[in-house]
Amino acid sequence: MEILKTKVAIIGSGPAGLLLGQLLYKAGIEHIIIEQKSADYVAARIRAGILEQVSVDLLKEAGVDQHLNEFGLPHHGIEILTGGEKHRIDLSALTQGKQVTVYGQTEVTKDLMQARREADLTTFYEAQNVKIHDFYAQPYVTFTQNDQQYQIRCDFIAGCDGYHGVCRASVPQDKIKTFEKVYPFGWLGILADVPPVSDELIYVQSERGFALCSMRSNTRSRYYLQVPLTDRVEEWSDERFWEELKNRLDAESRENLVTGPSIEKSIAPLRSFVTEPMRFGHLFLAGDAAHIVPPTGAKGLNLAASDIAYLSSALIEYYINNSEQGIIEYSEKCLKRVWKAERFSWWMTHLLHRFETESDFDLKIKQAELAYILGSEAGQTTLAENYVGLPYEIKKFENLPKAS
Ligand code: APR
Ligand code: PHB
């Protein structure tokens, strides 16, 4: 058994773990990442692609915004298509100039991995049988890699290991409460090298169900369809997908839609899920390990980023300023923002999807709510300020002394 020591052991190298690693590195705080999959697998995962302004600011603070500045597409509005008509929500006009940036999570992950390689930081990929121990007293992590057993002794463990990870599962049942809502449909998504149907994203509410026209660049599109959970991806040929998408669009978009072979196709279930609290002694949960949102408001990655903003500044304050304040407040601060994003994602999902169980009355009420939102500046502002991201403070730590 090889025994290593570090300050922070980060479990998982998704966007949450990688971003935490990068911010700790910039502050001179030693850490190690332990990831169960291979680097190639992590870099290839296709996920959502909308960054709030605050997430862009955080990536800048982490020093990984070079590609983002070059290839990210700033968006100032979104379209909502309902009753066959498109309505533009002018995000920037409604939020004093804020915007979102279209930039794939896959790219964010690659940028962070590249920065990590350049700084020669330690990551154990393909770690097997990862276990966390004694996090209420003297934490350590054990795992195996290439038949070698490791033990990493640390001050803190950051559980950035996603929804199916080992960290949340290791917390004693009587110390944790979870809240969950599962939706009775999934999103069938495809990626295709065709120009997007429109300059801005179109969220579609139709009698045939929800659809979303999104993009990764001016030549790569990402489209989604609401489908029954019982559907299997093999049942959806590209032709069938495009046909159904057309059926949910308005005449103009149908005409402008450029179709082509898919380069990725998958079905994802929708879920709302929150864990309380988000700290257990010396163990922190962050990102999908602590909460899941349905993708309708594009909040998943952005929430992971705000957790990491709070966690990195808590750890920096602890090591550099000898203050435990950020650590004590971590869970409460995160959860305040998490629940607001949960509410928004749930609301967008509810408003735009077809639910089999909804009565004619429910449907009419929903249509009236949409009509109200779209017809009122107050209603549109509610949507816009949540969509661009609720503000939080990114603490700047300049000219940091070396962590002790
Ligand atoms: N040991 C080590 N690593 C693990 C373990 C384990 N037992 N279990 C899971 N992991 C790894 C996964 O392989 C994955 O690389 O943890 C990582 C978790 O990454 P993500 O699932 O991407 O979660 P997170 O970093 O919190 O990112 C949140 O991802 O799913 C989207 O919508 C979500 O955009 C949001 C973002
Ligand atoms: C995406 O581009 O993958 C995307 C965009 C907006 C969403 C969800 C997903 O709300």
Side-chain angles (χ1 to χ4, degrees), residues 5-196:
K5 272 193 81 178
T6 192
K7 290 195 163 66
V8 185
I10 301 175
I11 316 296
S13 79
L18 289 166
L19 183 55
L20 177 62
Q22 179 68 13
L23 290 162
L24 293 182
Y25 159 67
K26 290 212 75 181
I29 298 171
E30 242 183 64
H31 69 277
I32 291 176
I33 296 187
I34 302 117
E35 162 64 50
Q36 70 177 3
K37 303 280 193 202
S38 69
D40 287 348
Y41 179 93
V42 170
R45 265 189 309 227
I46 310 267
R47 298 267 179 81
I50 301 287
L51 297 177
E52 296 172 349
Q53 185 60 50
V54 271
S55 302
V56 170
D57 294 345
L58 190 63
L59 290 166
K60 179 172 181 205
E61 181 66 17
V64 283
D65 59 335
Q66 201 191 332
H67 283 109
L68 172 60
N69 291 333
E70 202 173 329
F71 300 108
L73 304 174
H75 277 211
H76 300 280
I78 54 169
E79 301 266 11
I80 304 224
L81 169 58
T82 175
E85 253 179 68
K86 282 199 292 256
H87 305 258
R88 181 166 190 267
I89 307 278
D90 190 334
L91 298 172
S92 297
L94 293 160
T95 62
Q96 289 88 46
K98 288 189 188 166
Q99 61 182 39
V100 292
T101 302
V102 170
Y103 191 67
Q105 181 173 322
T106 313
E107 307 313 311
V108 174
T109 306
K110 280 191 207 154
D111 296 347
L112 285 161
M113 288 175 79
Q114 167 86 8
R116 210 169 163 77
R117 266 193 306 274
E118 281 165 11
D120 204 15
L121 301 173
T122 309
T123 312
F124 287 91
Y125 286 106
E126 297 181 69
Q128 288 166 348
N129 200 18
V130 178
K131 291 203 173 100
I132 63 170
H133 311 265
D134 212 10
F135 45 83
Y136 283 101
Q138 289 200 307
Y140 63 98
V141 180
T142 54
F143 62 96
T144 309
Q145 189 201 48
N146 295 331
D147 294 330
Q148 169 72 48
Q149 281 188 303
Y150 290 90
Q151 183 187 95
I152 300 188
R153 296 181 183 162
C154 52
D155 301 334
F156 297 102
I157 298 172
C160 301
D161 50 349
Y163 182 66
H164 300 286
V166 68
C167 291
R168 191 183 67 249
S170 304
V171 174
Q173 285 292 314
D174 61 338
K175 297 263 196 296
I176 191 167
K177 183 162 169 55
T178 56
F179 303 81
E180 185 171 37
K181 182 174 177 62
V182 178
Y183 299 85
F185 40 72
W187 275 21
L188 167 64
I190 70 164
L191 197 61
D193 277 329
V194 291

